[in-house]
């Protein structure tokens, strides 16, 4: 990667960060507008890390829970597409590098082994699945919420024992209690407990 490409990618993350500052300051509309403009520039084929980050925050800027879910699903799709590095050369389905679930079997098969997410990406999965669980709960789909909450809990092992990690684990625990108290749901176990 050239210095010019690295500087360009840093500029995209800086712009995303600026929009997130607006979002956290309460200016959801302006944050949504800026994130939308960046999304138009990078598009569906842009750098996976950029798409993941942008979509994750764009979800938070939405007023409609269905729109929030759509953006969080885009964030998860982009995170799943991150392979060995930013942009990873993934050209989409059929490119021979579609990642987990595309028939990769590993040594002796003539096909590459299934890839784990990059270590740096593993820390995003608890938050991504927690967001999806929250979205599904808002949309009154508690079973889907339970599935993503279980995935968030399982992925939380990748989190450090720091402010971010402790905050995400606390949010997972709060949502678990909230789901357990859902009317009509009864004392059902979470998927990983059954």
């Amino acid at each position: 990667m050239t210095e010019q490409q690295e500087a360009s990618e840093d500029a995209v993350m800086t712009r995303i960060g600026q929009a997130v500052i607006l979002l956290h300051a309460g200016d959801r509309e302006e944050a949504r507008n800026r994130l939308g403009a960046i999304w138009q520039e990078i598009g569906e084929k842009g750098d996976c890390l950029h798409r993941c980050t942008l979509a994750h925050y764009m979800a938070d800027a939405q007023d409609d829970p269905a729109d929030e879910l759509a953006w969080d699903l885009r964030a998860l799709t982009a995170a799943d597409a991150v392979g060995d590095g930013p942009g990873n050369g993934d050209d989409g389905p059929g490119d021979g590098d579609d990642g987990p679930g595309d028939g990769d079997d590993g040594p002796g098969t003539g096909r590459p082994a299934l890839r784990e997410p990059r270590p740096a990406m593993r820390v995003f999965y608890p938050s991504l699945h927690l967001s999806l669980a929250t979205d599904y709960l808002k949309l009154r789909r508690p079973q889907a919420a339970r599935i993503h909450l279980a995935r968030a809990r399982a992925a939380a092992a990748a989190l450090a024992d720091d402010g971010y990690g402790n905050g995400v684990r606390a949010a997972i625990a709060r949502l678990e209690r909230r789901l357990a108290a859902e009317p009509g749901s009864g004392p059902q176990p979470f998927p990983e407990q059954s």
Side-chain angles (χ1 to χ4, degrees):
M1 182 178 293
T2 68
E3 287 181 36
Q4 185 177 12
Q5 288 171 318
E6 288 177 12
S8 174
E9 289 183 7
D10 289 345
V12 171
M13 290 304 279
T14 297
R15 290 173 58 212
I16 292 170
Q18 291 167 341
V20 171
I21 290 169
L22 289 170
L23 178 62
H24 290 164
D27 194 347
R28 294 165 59 90
E29 185 176 354
E30 182 61 23
R32 191 170 42 240
N33 291 340
R34 288 187 187 197
L35 291 169
I38 299 167
W39 185 263
Q40 290 299 317
E41 291 172 25
I42 64 175
E44 294 282 339
K45 297 270 185 183
D47 178 88
C48 297
L49 182 59
H50 291 163
R51 288 186 292 126
C52 176
T53 305
L54 190 149
H56 189 54
Y57 286 111
M58 182 63 124
D60 293 342
Q62 300 306 304
D63 296 323
D64 183 319
D67 292 338
E68 188 174 353
L69 173 63
W71 281 104
D72 278 328
L73 287 169
R74 285 183 188 106
L76 182 61
T77 299
D80 287 343
V82 174
D84 298 321
N88 84 5
D90 182 18
D91 295 322
D95 70 352
D97 184 28
D98 292 327
D102 71 347
D104 295 349
D105 296 323
T109 64
R111 293 183 285 207
L114 292 175
R115 290 183 301 193
E116 285 288 318
R118 285 191 300 165
M121 284 304 294
R122 286 188 194 122
V123 299
F124 290 121
Y125 279 92
S127 180
L128 293 172
H129 284 292
L130 177 62
S131 292
L132 285 164
T134 302
D135 297 342
Y136 282 119
L137 189 56
K138 287 178 186 175
L139 292 167
R140 300 177 194 263
R141 295 176 56 190
Q143 283 307 105
R146 287 179 184 283
I147 290 167
H148 283 282
L149 191 55
R151 290 176 183 165
R153 172 64 71 196
L159 296 172
D161 190 18
D162 59 10
Y164 173 76
N166 293 335
V168 172
R169 281 189 287 273
I172 290 169
R174 283 192 303 272
L175 191 57
E176 284 174 340
R177 288 190 299 274
R178 185 173 163 201
L179 262 172
E182 273 293 296
S185 64
Q188 299 172 353
F190 283 91
E192 79 275 11
Q193 296 171 332
S194 44

